[in-house]
Amino acid sequence: MRLLQLDGDGNSSLTEFFEDNIPEYAILSHKWGAEEVTFKDLTDGTSKVKAGYGKIHFCREQARRDGLEYFWLDTCCIDKSSSAELSEAINSMFRWYKKAARCYVYLSDVSTLKRKASDTSAECTWESAFRASKWFTRGWTLQELLAPRSVEFYSREGKSLGNKRTLQQQIHEITGIPATAIREYALSQFDVDERFSWAKSRQTTRGEDKAYSLFGIFDVQMPLLYGEGEVKAFQRLREAIDKPLKALTSSSGSEKDLLRHLPYADEAPFNAYDHQCEPACLPNTRVDLLQEIYDWADGKDGQDKRCIFRLSGLAGTGKSTISRTVARRCSEQKRLGASFFFSRGGRDVSHAGKLFTSLAVQLGDAVPSLQTHISVML
């Protein structure tokens, strides 16, 4: 990995590091524009005459203010004339952004300069420009938003706009990405189709890069085959995503082993350890309601098909106790497939991140004949 190093005179030079000794560094995220500074420009000494040099200056000065000696830009720290180096860089990109001490997002189309008071016909604030920024439409910037711990947004004047935590709600509304993903939750908690949906409307200059820019989102590595086209690139990406699951199943010969690797919420089942002492309904209470639910579960409610039984009511009226009573009865009768009880502040059971995978694991245990079908669905 090449980093730009800040010297005592305020200038910078390229220094190469290997994985075991990479120092702390800042990293830039931006939308590419005209006259970007390339690796060749830096080595030839012609970088300062290009318009894109302003981004290098911005990143260098911001890193200096943050006490960082090294910084990285994708425009000039990669020798893109080398296909081998480019392939290594693209396959490493998510990790490089994730390991950065700071990620600076430079928004060239967002300005903090105030318009004249008399100019009311086109009044605009940086917030509206932020929501409309092209940065949110580019394929590569998805991983640049999600991978780093610290993501800070700056206007084209270099003024701070906030970070991905203080701007979390706006980012969620702009991108549709769940706040939990923006807050650095492990991306593996989100299913494959949902992660693909985050990139659906994003664009790249080359069609293949729509797939290549998602390597880190799915934690896969692939060789680059520019010229294969967008469709084939996505086919290979899908195969790379599915490969670990298929390999696990074929090597173990057991779908159950595959299910064991799914994200699972230990506190989800009605009889999880933390809930062993929670009471069921007292005898002779909730009799009519419980009987209605039992009739539904037993198929005695006159309905030809078993549908969802929705139990609603005000908080504190006993819905969880009723549900746990029903779950315990069905479990004792060996008829309970799976259960997931949400709990505020209960870590994995405080949100739906592991809902479906936890239910899948329980169903596989309760009904072994379903294990093959669940594995195929995965």
Side-chain angles (χ1 to χ4, degrees):
M1 181 185 193
R2 290 193 191 89
L3 294 173
L4 283 162
Q5 182 178 13
L6 184 68
D7 62 27
D9 297 325
N11 296 313
S12 49
S13 58
L14 285 169
T15 306
E16 188 167 3
F17 295 92
F18 294 96
E19 199 68 30
D20 293 338
N21 64 342
I22 297 175
E24 280 198 329
Y25 59 92
I27 200 165
L28 185 73
S29 174
H30 65 112
K31 177 184 176 294
W32 279 51
E35 291 195 357
E36 295 289 0
V37 175
T38 66
F39 174 76
K40 186 175 184 298
D41 294 328
L42 276 183
T43 56
D44 288 349
T46 58
S47 60
K48 293 186 178 180
V49 300
K50 284 198 160 185
Y53 186 79
K55 294 178 183 178
I56 297 179
H57 177 77
F58 160 75
C59 191
R60 180 184 67 208
E61 293 305 302
Q62 190 58 50
R64 181 181 58 79
R65 284 190 285 270
D66 289 332
L68 296 169
E69 182 180 353
Y70 298 92
F71 59 103
W72 185 92
L73 291 82
D74 58 352
T75 54
C76 57
C77 291
I78 305 170
D79 182 3
K80 297 178 181 65
S81 67
S82 167
S83 58
E85 181 172 331
L86 179 61
S87 180
E88 180 183 359
I90 288 179
N91 277 281
S92 304
M93 199 76 71
F94 188 91
R95 185 173 73 256
W96 289 351
Y97 274 90
K98 187 178 183 66
K99 289 187 175 181
R102 300 288 184 93
C103 176
Y104 308 136
V105 178
Y106 180 79
L107 302 176
S108 59
D109 54 358
V110 178
S111 175
T112 51
L113 294 179
K114 295 182 179 179
R115 295 181 179 271
K116 294 180 180 179
S118 59
D119 185 7
T120 58
S121 61
E123 185 175 352
C124 180
T125 63
W126 73 259
E127 289 93 338
S128 59
F130 178 79
R131 289 178 178 273
S133 176
K134 295 293 186 182
W135 185 85
F136 290 107
T137 70
R138 305 306 297 170
W140 293 104
T141 57
L142 176 61
Q143 65 178 359
E144 295 163 17
L145 169 66
L146 298 178
R149 301 186 306 275
S150 170
V151 179
E152 303 163 13
F153 294 86
Y154 292 87
S155 71
R156 67 167 169 253
E157 296 85 17
K159 301 296 184 182
S160 175
L161 306 176
N163 57 55
K164 73 173 181 177
R165 290 184 178 275
T166 61
L167 296 169
Q168 175 182 287
Q169 184 59 33
Q170 292 94 320
I171 295 170
H172 164 66
E173 293 170 2
I174 296 166
T175 64
I177 299 172
T180 48
I182 298 170
R183 290 199 304 267
E184 303 172 62
Y185 272 58
L187 297 185
S188 59
Q189 292 191 10
F190 303 90
D191 65 43
V192 170
D193 287 340
E194 181 174 9
R195 281 179 274 171
F196 268 119
S197 73
W198 302 341
K200 185 177 181 180
S201 300
R202 292 175 178 259
Q203 301 297 318
T204 56
T205 302
R206 303 189 67 165
E208 296 92 341
D209 282 337
K210 287 186 179 181
Y212 300 165
S213 63
L214 299 177
F215 288 176
I217 301 297
F218 294 104
D219 192 22
V220 300
Q221 290 189 317
M222 285 168 41
L224 308 186
L225 298 175
Y226 283 111
E228 67 176 327
E230 180 181 336
V231 173
K232 287 187 177 179
F234 270 105
Q235 287 176 346
R236 288 201 302 125
L237 177 60
R238 278 283 189 179
E239 291 171 0
I241 294 169
D242 295 340
K243 186 176 180 180
L245 296 176
K246 291 180 179 178
L248 178 62
T249 303
S250 61
S251 63
S252 66
S254 170
E255 288 85 1
K256 188 172 184 179
D257 290 339
L258 173 61
L259 298 182
R260 285 284 172 257
H261 285 75
L262 292 177
Y264 184 75
D266 292 327
E267 298 178 4
F270 82 96
N271 58 350
Y273 179 80
D274 288 347
H275 301 298
Q276 289 288 348
C277 298
E278 288 197 13
C281 292
L282 296 173
N284 300 318
T285 62
R286 309 286 188 178
V287 175
D288 293 338
L289 177 56
L290 285 172
Q291 190 59 53
E292 182 182 355
I293 299 174
Y294 294 153
D295 288 345
W296 163 80
D298 296 339
K300 298 178 181 179
D301 57 353
Q303 299 294 326
D304 293 332
K305 296 181 179 179
R306 302 275 63 75
C307 299
I308 294 174
F309 193 103
R310 181 172 180 267
L311 182 63
S312 61
L314 297 174
T317 55
K319 298 187 298 299
S320 295
T321 301
I322 292 169
S323 299
R324 202 173 300 280
T325 301
V326 173
R328 183 174 288 109
R329 176 182 183 266
C330 291
S331 178
E332 291 170 351
Q333 296 175 344
K334 309 298 183 184
R335 298 176 57 202
L336 181 66
S339 60
F340 194 107
F341 278 75
F342 288 94
S343 176
R344 181 174 297 179
R347 295 177 297 184
D348 288 339
V349 293
S350 64
H351 56 84
K354 296 184 179 179
L355 170 63
F356 293 107
T357 50
S358 296
L359 294 178
V361 171
Q362 293 180 54
L363 280 172
D365 286 339
V367 188
S369 61
L370 291 178
Q371 291 173 5
T372 298
H373 300 288
I374 295 172
S375 298
V376 170
M377 290 297 294
L378 292 173

